[in-house]
Amino acid sequence: MPELIVKFEDKIIEKFITEKKRVTIGRTPDNDIVLDNRGVSRRHAQIEFGENQAVIIDNESLNGTFVNSRRVSEEVLKDNDVITIGKFTLHFHQASERTSAPFDMNGTMVLHTKKQRELVAKDQRSRQLTSRTGSSLLLGEAGADFEQFPIDRNVITIGKSSLANVKAKGFMLSGIQAKIVNEPEGFWLVNLGRKGKTKINGEYVERHLLRNDDIIQIGKTVYRFIENRS
């Protein structure tokens, strides 16, 4: 069964497991998931479950619904997607793990927090970048020899070799350390070289489905993945 882990300031406040076909999210007690914060609209969003997918729908909320730092109106959820609503994050798992004016929107208060401003600004920048290139991107964050690299082919190789599409630096790094592969469900980062040299968001990986705003570290070189959803 699908699971949503609700967090506030990185603290788990609820684990929600459901067999329902529709789950409502909002500020008032009549919602399935209640987020008690004035930055959350009374009926903020809903998740509709089909046989093979879950879709989150923003109900024209005042402060918006974000998936992996991207503002969405309707989005098919992937496993481990992070939904941000107000000051809360909801971590989506496909299967549960068994271990206007400020008060026009039913009393919802406009958020002016630093986090909200950063999310909106990041979303706008990401959309501008992907609309110009028409593709997903790698942004060079540290040690990269580029600012932007379009992912405009099915396979992108990363490593020290002169034959690699994207160059990376680091001690004991393989010539081709990793690759990004375009598959039907999205872009995957696959480790090809030495173990312990490929990270996503600080965690070592062998194969990982990329999400918008993921931080990729190959050796000492750091990139940010920006997903094109147009």
Side-chain angles (χ1 to χ4, degrees):
M1 289 181 288
E3 177 185 59
L4 288 161
I5 298 177
V6 184
K7 294 184 178 183
F8 180 77
E9 295 181 346
D10 291 329
K11 295 180 181 177
I12 296 175
I13 60 173
E14 181 179 3
K15 289 187 177 181
F16 185 87
I17 301 172
T18 184
E19 292 182 326
K20 296 178 68 174
K21 295 297 184 182
R22 176 182 296 171
V23 171
T24 60
I25 306 168
R27 190 177 71 246
T28 54
D30 55 337
N31 288 281
D32 297 302
I33 297 177
V34 179
L35 305 179
D36 188 12
N37 181 269
R38 291 294 291 277
V40 179
S41 297
R42 294 183 65 181
R43 288 279 184 169
H44 196 103
Q46 63 192 47
I47 300 175
E48 296 188 354
F49 296 94
E51 289 187 7
N52 299 312
Q53 66 179 23
V55 179
I56 186 164
I57 301 168
D58 179 75
N59 293 329
E60 298 183 355
S61 63
L62 182 61
N63 290 302
T65 299
F66 296 79
V67 176
N68 303 327
S69 301
R70 181 72 57 83
R71 188 166 187 166
V72 301
S73 56
E74 183 173 325
E75 185 76 12
V76 177
L77 293 171
K78 301 175 185 175
D79 194 37
N80 295 318
D81 273 351
V82 179
I83 303 160
T84 303
I85 294 177
K87 296 182 178 181
F88 297 86
T89 58
L90 294 81
H91 298 250
F92 173 75
H93 300 294
Q94 291 176 341
S96 60
E97 300 176 2
R98 299 202 177 273
T99 65
S100 6
F103 297 97
D104 285 347
M105 300 291 289
N106 297 318
T108 306
M109 182 181 294
V110 179
L111 283 180
H112 292 294
T113 64
K114 181 181 179 182
K115 179 180 178 181
Q116 181 77 4
R117 290 194 299 270
E118 288 175 348
L119 277 172
V120 172
K122 186 181 288 185
D123 174 57
Q124 291 174 343
R125 180 171 180 252
S126 296
R127 290 181 185 276
Q128 289 170 355
L129 290 172
T130 56
S131 66
R132 284 201 296 265
T133 61
S135 66
S136 296
L137 297 167
L138 289 179
L139 302 183
E141 294 280 309
D145 57 5
F146 59 83
E147 291 185 3
Q148 302 170 24
F149 187 94
I151 305 176
D152 54 5
R153 63 197 82 174
N154 288 329
V155 179
I156 300 290
T157 56
I158 309 172
K160 293 179 71 173
S161 171
S162 59
L163 299 178
N165 303 126
V166 174
K167 302 300 185 296
K169 304 169 185 176
F171 181 67
M172 299 292 287
L173 202 65
S174 299
I176 302 295
Q177 179 64 45
K179 65 179 178 179
I180 296 174
V181 185
N182 188 4
E183 297 186 5
E185 63 269 36
F187 289 97
W188 288 84
L189 179 72
V190 182
N191 185 62
L192 299 175
R194 294 180 182 274
K195 292 185 179 296
K197 297 294 183 181
T198 301
K199 292 182 181 181
I200 295 288
N201 303 323
E203 300 290 335
Y204 294 115
V205 298
E206 289 297 313
R207 180 176 168 85
H208 182 90
L209 181 61
L210 290 171
R211 300 173 299 167
N212 183 61
D213 210 41
D214 272 347
I215 297 295
I216 301 169
Q217 182 175 349
I218 308 295
K220 293 185 177 180
T221 310
V222 181
Y223 320 92
R224 184 183 298 273
F225 174 72
I226 303 296
E227 184 178 14
N228 180 27
R229 294 189 176 179
S230 58

